[in-house]
Amino acid sequence: MTAGRPVIDVAELLRGDFHVHSAFSDDAVSTLAENIAAADAAGLDRLRLNDHVRASTTWVPEFVAAVAAERIPSGLTVFTGVETKLLDVTGAVDVPADLVVGAGGVDTIVIGDHQFPGTDGPWSPQATRDRLAAGLSEADALDLLVTASIRAMERTPQAQLAHWFSILPKVGLDEAQLGADRLTAWAQAAAATGTVVEVNEKWACPGVEAIVALQRAGARIVASTDSHIASDVGRYDRATALLTEAARRLAPEGEDDR
């Protein structure tokens, strides 16, 4: 760490938006060009265009070609990604078998915790609640999630975790229940695998303790809006608060988080 500087450079992180959806996703409305223009207008210097896929998706080559054809303003670097869901405790993710990551394909696979990673496939929030009510302990459920998270990072090269731990309140659990040991193991896996972890504006997660654990482990953190419309690109509020508080906690005594 450089003397006099915060451990987390909040302003630098907020000049990027690493999770922006276009009309290639069935729940978003803006075009690639509109998102790029919005990023430029917001003063961003990094943008990840990122749309939802499943195993059955066929349009990824079209998406990559469309991004390559866009005019990119000077000073803005554009990356690509496809967002998929974590499936089960083995760390499998729901991507097309022929997906190309790297040269000629997308830059990364963005993994979302859209459902709970069960022992026999993805569990919906209600199915997870039912299992908890039927006797699955909260500790065992949290262990399942962290184990699946680590295995997904180990199995998926060039990965980014999207809105991680957003599944917890949906199933009646809380990120605070994870505890230091689980967060440390998760954060160290992110660092060891080179997995990028986004601090997500839309879902306001992961929380401060998780961000601190990531930073202490040496994992890479980015900011994202999870925008589904261009007017939201690069517009931060909750992510700013999370990153600022994490920076405050990590700053050496006597330094502030400006």
Side-chain angles (χ1 to χ4, degrees):
M1 185 190 68
T2 303
R5 289 183 59 80
V7 175
I8 297 177
D9 190 335
V10 178
E12 169 65 17
L13 288 173
L14 297 180
R15 286 196 288 272
D17 191 340
F18 279 78
H19 187 152
V20 170
H21 291 285
S22 78
F24 275 91
S25 293
D26 56 12
D27 58 350
V29 298
S30 298
T31 65
L32 297 172
E34 288 168 337
N35 286 330
I36 292 167
D40 186 42
L44 302 185
D45 55 28
R46 289 148 292 153
L47 175 71
R48 186 181 306 286
L49 298 168
N50 171 60
D51 282 301
H52 291 290
V53 297
R54 303 172 182 84
S56 59
T57 299
T58 60
W59 49 253
V60 176
E62 179 186 353
F63 167 74
V64 171
V67 174
E70 291 291 339
R71 187 190 70 81
I72 308 302
S74 176
L76 179 66
T77 301
V78 173
F79 306 97
T80 56
V82 289
E83 183 179 3
T84 187
K85 67 176 178 289
L86 176 62
L87 290 172
D88 57 34
V89 73
T90 71
V93 297
D94 191 14
V95 293
D98 60 352
L99 180 69
V100 177
V101 182
V106 294
D107 297 315
T108 199
I109 297 174
V110 180
I111 309 171
D113 60 342
H114 300 122
Q115 294 186 303
F116 201 89
T119 54
D120 56 354
W123 297 342
S124 70
Q126 185 57 56
T128 308
R129 287 175 179 268
D130 291 344
R131 282 173 168 82
L132 287 164
L136 175 67
S137 73
E138 292 182 349
D140 284 347
L142 294 168
D143 286 342
L144 272 177
L145 177 58
V146 171
T147 297
S149 303
I150 292 171
R151 289 174 176 170
M153 290 188 277
E154 291 171 343
R155 290 180 61 162
T156 310
Q158 297 174 241
Q160 175 176 314
L161 298 187
H163 49 69
W164 218 248
F165 303 132
S166 67
I167 189 65
L168 289 174
K170 298 175 187 176
V171 304
L173 300 175
D174 190 281
E175 195 173 322
Q177 295 174 266
L178 287 165
D181 289 345
R182 291 190 188 92
L183 284 177
T184 297
W186 169 76
Q188 289 177 344
T193 58
T195 301
V196 176
V197 182
E198 64 179 59
V199 178
N200 187 285
E201 173 70 19
K202 181 178 179 181
W203 296 99
C205 63
V208 171
E209 293 299 333
I211 297 170
V212 168
L214 289 165
Q215 190 68 20
R216 285 177 173 158
R220 184 185 174 200
I221 300 166
V222 296
S224 80
T225 60
D226 203 347
S227 164
H228 284 61
I229 186 169
S231 57
D232 288 340
V233 173
R235 307 298 180 185
Y236 293 111
D237 180 16
R238 297 194 289 180
T240 304
L242 290 169
L243 288 165
T244 300
E245 176 59 18
R248 186 192 68 78
R249 294 193 193 184
L250 286 163
E253 187 176 351
E255 292 187 9
D256 62 26
D257 60 351
R258 290 176 296 176

